[in-house]
């Protein structure tokens, strides 16, 4: 259980980091090219990357996601985990520099000039407005996708309702037959 929890926390941290970053600044729909994977001659500086993280509130998003993740794991974990474990987990995750571990990733793909341009944009009125609007747009997008998915799922289910009903009847008959044979 402990090993599974530790691995889940670490994997979750990486996933949540990516999710937090995605919700702050979604990647443009650009097909990857060979040029994207070539390290820039003048990579973004650590100071630029950290300024970008601050402007996009990635640091705060990470803290919120880590707190939520620990709460979720705590609620679903075995009850014998002591309070000291959870306190240590929160303290450890709270003091770990996850964003610092992302700096080399950004340096691998973003040039100093490009990130400078992005930062300058986020400091404009339009850039600040975009940063404020993005979480609302993402929430609305998720809501609409969920609604569309439910509607499409219902349409597909209706097209297969007879097939589903027959499969359900067969399944229930098999279960009843097994139950009857186990009573003998």
């Amino acid at each position: 259980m402990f090993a599974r929890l530790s691995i889940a926390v670490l994997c979750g941290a990486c996933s949540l980091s990516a999710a937090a970053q995605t919700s702050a600044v979604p990647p443009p729909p650009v097909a990857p090219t060979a040029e994207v994977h070539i390290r820039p001659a003048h990579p973004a500086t650590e100071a630029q990357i950290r300024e970008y993280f601050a402007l996009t509130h990635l640091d705060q998003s990470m803290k919120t996601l880590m707190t939520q993740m620990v709460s979720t794991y705590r609620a679903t974990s075995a009850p014998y985990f002591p309070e000291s474990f959870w306190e240590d987990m929160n303290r450890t995750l709270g003091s770990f520099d996850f964003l610092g571990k992302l700096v080399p990733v950004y340096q691998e793909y973003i040039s100093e000039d490009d990130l400078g341009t992005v930062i300058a944009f986020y400091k404009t009125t339009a850039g600040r407005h975009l940063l404020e609007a993005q979480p609302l747009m993402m929430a609305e997008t998720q809501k609409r996708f969920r609604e569309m998915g439910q509607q499409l799922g219902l349409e597909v289910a209706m097209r297969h309702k007879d097939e589903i009903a027959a499969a359900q009847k067969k399944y229930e008959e098999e279960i009843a037959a097994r139950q009857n044979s186990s009573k003998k």
Side-chain angles (χ1 to χ4, degrees):
M1 172 67 185
F2 176 73
R4 190 179 93 207
L5 176 67
S6 298
I7 291 169
V9 167
L10 292 175
C11 290
C14 293
S15 298
L16 292 174
S17 169
Q21 193 162 351
T22 300
S23 66
V25 182
V30 175
T33 64
E35 291 180 25
V36 172
H37 300 291
I38 296 174
R39 183 179 172 92
H42 301 284
T45 67
E46 181 171 351
Q48 278 183 307
I49 295 167
R50 289 193 182 271
E51 182 178 7
Y52 169 77
F53 290 162
L55 285 168
T56 59
H57 306 289
L58 185 58
D59 54 344
Q60 200 53 41
S61 295
M62 284 291 297
K63 288 177 185 174
T64 300
L65 291 169
M66 287 296 152
T67 300
Q68 291 171 348
M69 184 182 67
V70 171
S71 293
T72 299
Y73 283 121
R74 185 175 188 165
T76 59
S77 292
Y80 52 79
F81 278 86
E83 182 65 26
S84 60
F85 171 83
W86 297 111
E87 290 170 359
D88 190 18
M89 180 68 73
N90 282 320
R91 197 171 36 255
T92 301
L93 292 175
S95 65
F96 188 80
D97 184 17
F98 286 102
L99 298 181
K101 299 295 184 185
L102 296 178
V103 168
V105 174
Y106 278 72
Q107 289 175 324
E108 190 70 30
Y109 294 93
I110 310 251
S111 73
E112 186 175 8
D113 288 343
D114 286 347
L115 194 53
T117 302
V118 169
I119 290 169
F121 168 71
Y122 280 137
K123 289 181 176 181
T124 67
T125 302
R128 286 190 306 274
H129 178 73
L130 177 63
L131 288 171
E132 291 171 11
Q134 275 184 322
L136 302 171
M137 293 185 303
M138 290 301 294
E140 183 66 23
T141 299
Q142 290 172 351
K143 177 184 171 206
R144 290 184 186 202
F145 277 153
R146 187 172 44 255
E147 290 169 354
M148 288 184 280
Q150 289 170 346
Q151 180 61 38
L152 293 171
L154 181 60
E155 290 172 14
V156 170
M158 292 306 293
R159 288 195 299 265
H160 293 268
K161 70 179 182 178
D162 295 337
E163 183 182 352
I164 293 169
Q168 180 182 7
K169 182 178 179 187
K170 181 180 176 184
Y171 173 79
E172 289 170 351
E173 289 170 352
E174 290 172 357
I175 295 293
R178 278 189 244 145
Q179 289 174 345
N180 287 336
S181 68
S182 68
K183 290 180 184 177
K184 294 178 183 180

